[in-house]
Amino acid sequence: MHKCERCASPATVHITEVLAEAKFEEHHVCETCYPKYMEDSQTKTGAAITSDAGAELEEALFGQQECPDCGIKFVDFRNSHRLGCSRDYQVFQNELLPLLENIHGETRHCGKTPRRYPQTKLAEAELTQLRQRLKRAVEREDYEEAARLRDQIKTVEDA
Amino acid sequence: MNLDSLTEQSGEWLRASGPEADIVISCRIRLARNLSSFPFTNRASTHQKAEIEQYLKGRLEKIDFEPRLEYVNLAPLSALDRQLLVERQLISRELANSEGPRGVAFAGSEIISVMVNEEDHVRMQVIRSGFTLDEAWQDADRLDDKLEEKVPYAFNEELGYLTACPTNVGTGMRASVMLHLPALVLTKQIEKVFRALQKINLAVRGLYGEGSRASGDFYQISNQVTLGKSETTIINEIRDVVPNIINYERQARQALTRENHAQVLDRVRRAFGVLKNAAMMTSEETMDLLSSVRLGVNLGLIDDIDIFKVNELFIHTQPAHLQKLLGRQLDSEERNTERARFLRNRLREMDSLN
Ligand SMILES: [Zn+2]
Ligand SMILES: [Zn+2]
C-alpha cells in the first residue's frame, strides 16, 4: 500500500484532486494527516508528491533497459506514468511487480478472461487467495469477515 | 449523428427511474481494453491511431449488440461539441482535449458509450439511473463479450487485461456510484463517511467541484483496486457499503426536517427563489442552489416538481449546453446572464403547471 505523503504511516486516504483545465492529481495520506490535508488543499496548489528514496538508485540500475517493441525505458514510465505497449508488463516485470503490489495489494488477476483462456485456472487463483484471506481472518478472530469469505468461496466453487 | 439535437433530450441515466434514485443518481461501469497488436495510445503514431480507429469503428458498428452504437469521429468536431459530450458524460475530458484520430460510439439512450483511443484503445462505459450496479455490469460484460469475439485483446493470465496505466490492470474495471448527499454535508457528517470508505480502499471524489470541494453535494464512490479481485467481488464490495450511506443520508434528512424544519424550509425556498429571480448565475452557485432544491423536492417541501427535471437542470446549465442552446459562443459573463435567464424560464414553466 501507499505511504502517507506527510508522515511515514500507511496511507488510508486516497484522493484524486480535480484541478483547473481538467488536470488530475493523486494524493495519499493517512487518517491523522487527512484533516490537515483538507485544510491546506483549500488554499494550495501543486503540493509536491514525494517519490521513494530508492527511486534514483533503482533507475540507475534498471532504468536503461528498453522494450524491443515500443522502445520505452523504465525511466520513461516513471516520468509519464504510462506504459508504451502490452509487452512492457513482461519487459519490466521486476520493476512493475512491487509497484502492482503497492497499488493493488495483489499481483495476480482473478477476474474475467477472454473466452480463449481457460476459466478454471483463474477460479483456482481466486480460491487460493480467498482461502489465504479466510485463514488470516480466522487468525485475527474476525468472524464476520470469515463468514463473508466462506460465502464468497462457496460462490466461486459453485460457479 | 446530429449533436445539436442532444440538447433537447437527456440521457436515460438522468431519469431518476432506478432504485433509490432520490439519493443514488447513477451507477457506472467502465472497462479498459487494448488491442494486442498495437502500442498503447500514448505511444502510437498518428498513423497507428488512425488504423486503430478504423479497425475498432468498423467492428463497433457491426457487432451483434442492442442497442445499436453509432460512431462519432471526434477529431473534426469543434471544441464546443466535444465539451458537450463531456458534460453528458459520454466521453472523458481527457479524450475531448487530446489530439489525433479518436472517437466515441454510443447508443441514442446514452446508457452505453465506447471511447476509442483514450488512454487505452477501448474504454467502454455503461451508466444507469439509480442503484443499479449489477445491471450496469451485465450490460458492460455483454458488450465486452461481443467485442471480444471480433477483437483480440491484450491479456495475460497473470495480470489480466493489460492497460497503459498499471492502476487499471487486471479487470480494467472501475465501478462507481454517484450519490447526492446534501443532508450529510449540511449536518457536517460527510467527512465521517469519507473516512469509513477510504478505510476499505474505496475512493471518494467530489463531482463537478474544483479541488476537494464538491459542488452540488455530489460524490462518486469507486473501487481503487483492479487486480487480484474478480469483477463481482469488486462490485459486491461497493454494493454492500452503499445502502449504509443511503441510510445515513436518510437519517440526516429526517433529523433535519424534525429538528430544523424552519431552517431547512427557508434554505430550500430561498434557493428556489434565487434560481427563479437572479439576473446572473455562475455554474457553481447554480449547482449549490439546485442541490438545495433537489433536497426540497425529495423532502416534499416543494410540490409537484419532477426530480428528473431538476437532474436535467444540473446538466443543461453547464457551459457547452447553454452555448449549444443559444447557438453561439458566449464569454463567461454572458454565460452567467444566459444561465440565469434559462433557469428563470425553466423553473417558472414548471411552477406554472402547479
Ligand atoms: Zn500521515
Ligand atoms: Zn513496449
Side-chain angles (χ1 to χ4, degrees), chain A residues 22-53:
Chain A
K23 292 217 168 59
F24 294 87
E25 246 182 23
E26 299 276 1
H27 290 281
H28 309 276
V29 292
C30 72
E31 263 182 276
T32 326
C33 297
Y34 179 56
K36 187 78 176 66
Y37 170 87
M38 292 299 276
E39 220 171 85
D40 294 354
S41 70
Q42 306 294 330
T43 48
K44 68 94 220 192
T45 42
I49 302 167
T50 55
S51 63
D52 343 338

Short mmCIF file of all heavy atoms in Angstrom, two decimals, chain A residues 22-53:
data_model
loop_
_atom_site.label_atom_id
_atom_site.label_comp_id
_atom_site.label_asym_id
_atom_site.label_seq_id
_atom_site.Cartn_x
_atom_site.Cartn_y
_atom_site.Cartn_z
N ALA A 22 -8.94 20.47 -16.34
CA ALA A 22 -9.03 19.02 -16.40
C ALA A 22 -7.75 18.29 -16.03
O ALA A 22 -7.43 17.25 -16.57
CB ALA A 22 -9.48 18.58 -17.79
N LYS A 23 -6.97 18.86 -15.12
CA LYS A 23 -5.77 18.15 -14.65
C LYS A 23 -6.13 17.41 -13.36
O LYS A 23 -6.92 17.89 -12.56
CB LYS A 23 -4.66 19.15 -14.38
CG LYS A 23 -4.15 19.78 -15.66
CD LYS A 23 -2.64 20.01 -15.58
CE LYS A 23 -2.07 20.36 -16.92
NZ LYS A 23 -2.70 21.58 -17.48
N PHE A 24 -5.52 16.25 -13.21
CA PHE A 24 -5.77 15.46 -12.02
C PHE A 24 -4.50 15.25 -11.22
O PHE A 24 -3.42 15.19 -11.77
CB PHE A 24 -6.36 14.10 -12.40
CG PHE A 24 -7.71 14.21 -13.01
CD1 PHE A 24 -7.84 14.41 -14.37
CD2 PHE A 24 -8.84 14.16 -12.23
CE1 PHE A 24 -9.10 14.54 -14.95
CE2 PHE A 24 -10.10 14.29 -12.80
CZ PHE A 24 -10.22 14.47 -14.17
N GLU A 25 -4.66 15.14 -9.93
CA GLU A 25 -3.53 14.89 -9.05
C GLU A 25 -3.93 13.82 -8.05
O GLU A 25 -5.00 13.89 -7.45
CB GLU A 25 -3.23 16.16 -8.25
CG GLU A 25 -1.91 16.80 -8.58
CD GLU A 25 -1.68 18.02 -7.71
OE1 GLU A 25 -2.28 18.12 -6.62
OE2 GLU A 25 -0.91 18.86 -8.14
N GLU A 26 -3.06 12.83 -7.87
CA GLU A 26 -3.32 11.79 -6.88
C GLU A 26 -2.63 12.15 -5.57
O GLU A 26 -1.48 12.57 -5.58
CB GLU A 26 -2.74 10.45 -7.36
CG GLU A 26 -3.32 9.95 -8.65
CD GLU A 26 -4.63 9.18 -8.46
OE1 GLU A 26 -5.09 9.06 -7.30
OE2 GLU A 26 -5.20 8.75 -9.45
N HIS A 27 -3.32 11.96 -4.47
CA HIS A 27 -2.70 12.17 -3.17
C HIS A 27 -3.00 11.00 -2.26
O HIS A 27 -4.08 10.44 -2.30
CB HIS A 27 -3.22 13.46 -2.54
CG HIS A 27 -2.73 14.68 -3.24
ND1 HIS A 27 -1.47 15.18 -3.06
CD2 HIS A 27 -3.32 15.46 -4.16
CE1 HIS A 27 -1.31 16.25 -3.84
NE2 HIS A 27 -2.42 16.44 -4.52
N HIS A 28 -2.02 10.68 -1.43
CA HIS A 28 -2.17 9.58 -0.49
C HIS A 28 -1.75 10.05 0.88
O HIS A 28 -0.61 10.45 1.08
CB HIS A 28 -1.33 8.38 -0.93
CG HIS A 28 -1.60 8.02 -2.37
ND1 HIS A 28 -2.65 7.23 -2.75
CD2 HIS A 28 -0.98 8.40 -3.51
CE1 HIS A 28 -2.65 7.12 -4.07
NE2 HIS A 28 -1.66 7.82 -4.56
N VAL A 29 -2.67 10.07 1.80
CA VAL A 29 -2.33 10.50 3.16
C VAL A 29 -2.95 9.54 4.17
O VAL A 29 -3.82 8.74 3.83
CB VAL A 29 -2.82 11.94 3.46
CG1 VAL A 29 -2.04 12.96 2.66
CG2 VAL A 29 -4.30 12.09 3.19
N CYS A 30 -2.46 9.63 5.42
CA CYS A 30 -3.04 8.78 6.46
C CYS A 30 -4.20 9.53 7.11
O CYS A 30 -4.41 10.71 6.87
CB CYS A 30 -1.98 8.40 7.48
SG CYS A 30 -1.50 9.77 8.52
N GLU A 31 -4.94 8.82 7.95
CA GLU A 31 -6.11 9.41 8.61
C GLU A 31 -5.77 10.63 9.46
O GLU A 31 -6.52 11.59 9.50
CB GLU A 31 -6.71 8.37 9.54
CG GLU A 31 -7.86 7.63 8.95
CD GLU A 31 -8.39 6.68 9.99
OE1 GLU A 31 -7.81 5.58 10.09
OE2 GLU A 31 -9.32 7.07 10.71
N THR A 32 -4.62 10.55 10.13
CA THR A 32 -4.21 11.65 11.00
C THR A 32 -3.92 12.92 10.20
O THR A 32 -4.27 14.02 10.60
CB THR A 32 -2.93 11.26 11.78
OG1 THR A 32 -2.99 9.86 12.04
CG2 THR A 32 -2.81 12.04 13.06
N CYS A 33 -3.28 12.74 9.06
CA CYS A 33 -2.90 13.90 8.26
C CYS A 33 -4.04 14.40 7.38
O CYS A 33 -3.97 15.48 6.81
CB CYS A 33 -1.69 13.57 7.39
SG CYS A 33 -0.23 13.16 8.34
N TYR A 34 -5.12 13.61 7.25
CA TYR A 34 -6.18 13.94 6.32
C TYR A 34 -6.87 15.29 6.60
O TYR A 34 -6.99 16.11 5.70
CB TYR A 34 -7.21 12.79 6.30
CG TYR A 34 -8.38 13.04 5.37
CD1 TYR A 34 -8.18 13.31 4.03
CD2 TYR A 34 -9.67 13.01 5.85
CE1 TYR A 34 -9.24 13.55 3.19
CE2 TYR A 34 -10.74 13.24 5.01
CZ TYR A 34 -10.52 13.51 3.68
OH TYR A 34 -11.56 13.75 2.83
N PRO A 35 -7.25 15.55 7.88
CA PRO A 35 -7.89 16.85 8.15
C PRO A 35 -7.00 18.02 7.77
O PRO A 35 -7.46 18.99 7.17
CB PRO A 35 -8.13 16.82 9.66
CG PRO A 35 -8.09 15.39 10.04
CD PRO A 35 -7.16 14.72 9.09
N LYS A 36 -5.71 17.89 8.10
CA LYS A 36 -4.74 18.94 7.77
C LYS A 36 -4.62 19.09 6.25
O LYS A 36 -4.57 20.20 5.72
CB LYS A 36 -3.38 18.55 8.39
CG LYS A 36 -2.31 19.62 8.29
CD LYS A 36 -2.51 20.73 9.33
CE LYS A 36 -1.40 21.76 9.31
NZ LYS A 36 -1.34 22.54 8.07
N TYR A 37 -4.62 17.95 5.58
CA TYR A 37 -4.54 17.97 4.12
C TYR A 37 -5.72 18.76 3.53
O TYR A 37 -5.56 19.60 2.66
CB TYR A 37 -4.53 16.54 3.56
CG TYR A 37 -4.70 16.50 2.06
CD1 TYR A 37 -3.60 16.60 1.23
CD2 TYR A 37 -5.96 16.42 1.50
CE1 TYR A 37 -3.75 16.61 -0.14
CE2 TYR A 37 -6.13 16.44 0.13
CZ TYR A 37 -5.02 16.53 -0.69
OH TYR A 37 -5.20 16.55 -2.04
N MET A 38 -6.92 18.45 4.04
CA MET A 38 -8.13 19.10 3.54
C MET A 38 -8.05 20.62 3.75
O MET A 38 -8.44 21.39 2.89
CB MET A 38 -9.38 18.55 4.26
CG MET A 38 -9.70 17.11 3.94
SD MET A 38 -10.04 16.85 2.19
CE MET A 38 -11.77 17.31 2.15
N GLU A 39 -7.54 20.99 4.93
CA GLU A 39 -7.39 22.40 5.26
C GLU A 39 -6.45 23.08 4.27
O GLU A 39 -6.79 24.11 3.68
CB GLU A 39 -6.78 22.48 6.66
CG GLU A 39 -7.33 23.56 7.57
CD GLU A 39 -6.76 23.35 8.94
OE1 GLU A 39 -5.66 23.84 9.20
OE2 GLU A 39 -7.42 22.65 9.75
N ASP A 40 -5.28 22.48 4.09
CA ASP A 40 -4.27 23.06 3.19
C ASP A 40 -4.74 23.12 1.75
O ASP A 40 -4.44 24.06 1.04
CB ASP A 40 -2.97 22.24 3.25
CG ASP A 40 -2.31 22.33 4.61
OD1 ASP A 40 -2.81 23.11 5.47
OD2 ASP A 40 -1.33 21.63 4.83
N SER A 41 -5.48 22.09 1.35
CA SER A 41 -5.83 21.99 -0.07
C SER A 41 -6.84 23.06 -0.48
O SER A 41 -7.09 23.26 -1.65
CB SER A 41 -6.35 20.60 -0.42
OG SER A 41 -7.61 20.43 0.16
N GLN A 42 -7.46 23.73 0.48
CA GLN A 42 -8.34 24.85 0.16
C GLN A 42 -7.53 25.99 -0.47
O GLN A 42 -8.01 26.72 -1.32
CB GLN A 42 -9.06 25.40 1.40
CG GLN A 42 -9.82 24.38 2.21
CD GLN A 42 -11.01 23.79 1.45
OE1 GLN A 42 -11.60 24.45 0.62
NE2 GLN A 42 -11.33 22.53 1.73
N THR A 43 -6.28 26.15 -0.01
CA THR A 43 -5.50 27.31 -0.45
C THR A 43 -4.37 26.99 -1.42
O THR A 43 -4.00 27.79 -2.24
CB THR A 43 -4.88 28.03 0.77
OG1 THR A 43 -4.27 27.04 1.60
CG2 THR A 43 -5.93 28.77 1.56
N LYS A 44 -3.85 25.77 -1.28
CA LYS A 44 -2.65 25.46 -2.07
C LYS A 44 -2.97 25.08 -3.51
O LYS A 44 -4.10 24.80 -3.85
CB LYS A 44 -1.91 24.30 -1.42
CG LYS A 44 -2.66 22.94 -1.49
CD LYS A 44 -2.31 22.07 -2.63
CE LYS A 44 -3.53 21.37 -3.22
NZ LYS A 44 -3.32 20.33 -4.12
N THR A 45 -1.95 25.09 -4.34
CA THR A 45 -1.97 24.19 -5.50
C THR A 45 -0.56 23.64 -5.66
O THR A 45 0.41 24.26 -5.23
CB THR A 45 -2.36 24.88 -6.81
OG1 THR A 45 -1.72 26.14 -6.86
CG2 THR A 45 -3.86 25.03 -6.92
N GLY A 46 -0.46 22.53 -6.28
CA GLY A 46 0.85 21.97 -6.59
C GLY A 46 1.61 21.41 -5.40
O GLY A 46 2.82 21.56 -5.33
N ALA A 47 0.92 20.81 -4.46
CA ALA A 47 1.61 20.14 -3.37
C ALA A 47 2.48 19.04 -3.95
O ALA A 47 2.04 18.27 -4.78
CB ALA A 47 0.61 19.54 -2.40
N ALA A 48 3.72 19.01 -3.55
CA ALA A 48 4.66 18.06 -4.13
C ALA A 48 4.28 16.63 -3.77
O ALA A 48 3.84 16.35 -2.67
CB ALA A 48 6.06 18.35 -3.64
N ILE A 49 4.39 15.76 -4.73
CA ILE A 49 4.17 14.36 -4.44
C ILE A 49 5.55 13.72 -4.23
O ILE A 49 6.39 13.75 -5.12
CB ILE A 49 3.43 13.65 -5.60
CG1 ILE A 49 2.10 14.36 -5.83
CG2 ILE A 49 3.23 12.19 -5.31
CD1 ILE A 49 1.43 13.96 -7.13
N THR A 50 5.76 13.21 -3.04
CA THR A 50 7.08 12.69 -2.72
C THR A 50 7.33 11.37 -3.43
O THR A 50 6.44 10.55 -3.55
CB THR A 50 7.23 12.47 -1.21
OG1 THR A 50 6.16 11.63 -0.79
CG2 THR A 50 7.18 13.77 -0.45
N SER A 51 8.53 11.15 -3.88
CA SER A 51 8.87 9.88 -4.51
C SER A 51 9.70 9.04 -3.54
O SER A 51 10.26 9.57 -2.59
CB SER A 51 9.67 10.13 -5.79
OG SER A 51 10.87 10.76 -5.47
N ASP A 52 9.74 7.73 -3.78
CA ASP A 52 10.50 6.89 -2.87
C ASP A 52 11.97 7.29 -2.89
O ASP A 52 12.49 7.75 -3.90
CB ASP A 52 10.44 5.40 -3.19
CG ASP A 52 9.32 5.03 -4.11
OD1 ASP A 52 8.35 5.82 -4.19
OD2 ASP A 52 9.42 4.00 -4.74
N ALA A 53 12.62 7.05 -1.78
CA ALA A 53 14.03 7.39 -1.66
C ALA A 53 14.87 6.55 -2.61
O ALA A 53 15.86 7.01 -3.16
CB ALA A 53 14.49 7.18 -0.23
#
